Amino acid sequence: MALFDQSSRHSLVPVYLYSSNALSCPINHAGLPTSSHSSSLPPHDYTRKNVPMIPSPNEGIRMFSPSYYAACSAGGVFSCGLTHMAVTPLDLVKCNMQIDPAKYKSISSGFGVLLKEQGVRGFFKGWVPTLLGYSAQGACKFGFYEFFKKYYSDLAGPENAVKYKTFIYLAGSASAEVIADCALCPMEAVKVRVQTQPGFARGLSDGLPKFVKADGVSGLYKGLVPLWGRQIPYTMMKFASFETIVEMIYKHAIPTPKDQCSKNKQLGVSFAAGYVAGVLCAIVSHPADNLVSFLNNAKGATVGDAVKKIGVVGLFTRGLPLRIVMIGTLTGAQWGLYDSFKVFVGLPTSGGAAPAPTK
């Protein structure tokens, strides 16, 4: 009994941050479900290094176990890699509008220029580094977000985890993105160079050696700081706003409690909340996106060069309408796919109703 008393803080906090059938049943003093279904498991099945584990709805994966974080990482690969690859044509036009606005004046004319100069195949130029880079980023982004969210919740304690949950979402997502961008940066550098410099390379296989030969291995990380500047605010907005919007939808728009909604309805909520979050993400991260495109395209360029050439207003507005459409759709699809994968492996969908404060 003393064991569970000492570690109850570790098991109680996730109860407040997650909503599922397994977690909606009464909780005992150790923070574990007290339903007859969960109590049928042997006591030792709940623990790993003296920390109670909460089973997911089908008990195939214990919540916050290594298998849980691995599943979330796999869902991140599935959601981010596929969605970014699918919008390669939009990304290609967007990058060229940022680099050469005189030639790529609008979305429609941009597609026309690409079609005339490179044909239909040109629309998917750079899809391989896009798939690999964003798959690696997605694994780190979602997997480490879940890890850091629980870690910071444990540090805060049950009551503070509820009271300051938005700050936990922000801190967890920012920490995860720092790691995720280190995985993305090399492929992002090659992708931008392939997409925006005609004749540079056909794709990753010849583009990566040429890039390293011209800029060195360190050149692959030249855009890391601007990438952090783009992706960290983007990801903080992506996760914190998504969690908040999902909570608001279940609180104000859907009269049925989340755990009583069908999985299809829950996935629909995930997509809708993800789309709105994506629009907000695009706006807050767009200046840094322009910087990343400029620095990866121009050898030896600095942030000052980019600001001087593009202008402060241009940093906020150049290519923004297309990016809003692209990132809104992208983020909505990512959350939909991510939660679909979680449902497939027996885990609850992300977000949920606001928790009741502890007494």
Side-chain angles (χ1 to χ4, degrees):
M1 201 70 71
L3 167 65
F4 291 112
D5 289 338
Q6 291 171 3
S7 57
S8 62
R9 182 169 68 94
H10 297 279
S11 60
L12 276 170
V13 175
V15 174
Y16 299 126
L17 294 181
Y18 290 85
S19 178
S20 72
N21 291 334
L23 305 184
S24 61
C25 59
I27 303 297
N28 64 16
H29 70 280
L32 299 174
T34 58
S35 67
S36 59
H37 182 62
S38 61
S39 62
S40 63
L41 289 176
H44 68 271
D45 283 345
Y46 288 121
T47 62
R48 178 181 295 270
K49 295 182 180 179
N50 297 337
V51 178
M53 291 292 182
I54 301 168
S56 63
N58 72 353
E59 297 187 24
I61 299 176
R62 287 196 298 271
M63 297 290 288
F64 318 111
S65 66
S67 296
Y68 171 76
Y69 296 121
C72 292
S73 295
V77 171
F78 180 63
S79 66
C80 292
L82 293 180
T83 51
H84 275 277
M85 184 185 69
V87 298
T88 296
L90 286 172
D91 188 43
L92 187 60
V93 173
K94 184 265 299 179
C95 287
N96 280 284
M97 288 177 65
Q98 292 171 328
I99 298 302
D100 192 356
K103 183 177 182 180
Y104 297 88
K105 298 179 180 179
S106 65
I107 298 173
S108 57
S109 66
F111 277 108
V113 171
L114 284 175
L115 181 63
K116 182 179 179 180
E117 293 185 352
Q118 302 182 32
V120 176
R121 293 181 62 183
F123 288 134
F124 284 90
K125 197 172 185 179
W127 72 270
V128 175
T130 298
L131 175 63
L132 296 179
Y134 283 95
S135 292
Q137 186 215 33
C140 296
K141 184 197 298 277
F142 283 93
F144 279 108
Y145 172 68
E146 298 291 350
F147 171 80
F148 282 117
K149 183 164 68 169
K150 182 180 185 301
Y151 177 74
Y152 294 142
S153 297
D154 287 347
L155 292 179
E159 294 186 6
N160 286 331
V162 178
K163 187 175 181 180
Y164 302 109
K165 60 182 182 295
T166 300
F167 292 102
I168 290 174
Y169 300 151
L170 292 171
S173 57
S175 300
E177 192 60 38
V178 169
I179 299 172
D181 287 345
C182 293
L184 169 64
C185 195
M187 293 296 102
E188 179 76 358
V190 175
K191 175 189 78 74
V192 172
R193 189 72 60 89
V194 168
Q195 290 179 336
T196 59
Q197 287 192 8
F200 173 72
R202 292 172 298 175
L204 178 64
S205 60
D206 58 337
L208 180 59
K210 285 184 177 181
F211 192 106
V212 172
K213 184 178 180 179
D215 292 60
V217 176
S218 61
L220 293 170
Y221 287 92
K222 181 178 69 173
L224 180 59
V225 174
L227 190 62
W228 279 334
R230 180 188 79 184
Q231 289 297 129
I232 291 176
Y234 165 88
T235 301
M236 292 171 72
M237 180 65 75
K238 174 179 181 176
F239 283 90
S241 61
F242 172 82
E243 299 262 16
T244 302
I245 292 167
V246 169
E247 181 180 313
M248 292 175 64
I249 289 175
Y250 284 113
K251 184 177 181 181
H252 300 291
I254 298 178
T256 308
K258 178 186 174 181
D259 59 359
Q260 296 178 22
C261 293
S262 67
K263 292 301 181 184
N264 286 337
K265 179 177 286 189
Q266 291 184 34
L267 293 175
V269 170
S270 294
F271 176 81
Y275 194 97
V276 176
V279 172
L280 300 175
C281 291
I283 295 171
V284 302
S285 64
H286 193 65
D289 184 64
N290 274 312
L291 288 176
V292 170
S293 295
F294 184 89
L295 293 175
N296 283 328
N297 181 69
K299 183 177 179 179
T302 65
V303 173
D305 296 331
V307 174
K308 184 177 180 179
K309 183 173 179 60
I310 300 175
V312 176
V313 175
L315 286 174
F316 283 88
T317 60
R318 184 180 291 182
L320 180 59
L322 177 56
R323 192 158 183 267
I324 285 176
V325 174
M326 185 182 81
I327 298 300
T329 305
L330 190 76
T331 307
Q334 284 178 355
W335 278 112
L337 289 172
Y338 177 65
D339 275 352
S340 295
F341 183 86
K342 289 178 71 177
V343 168
F344 176 75
V345 299
L347 294 170
T349 56
S350 304
T358 57
K359 295 182 180 180

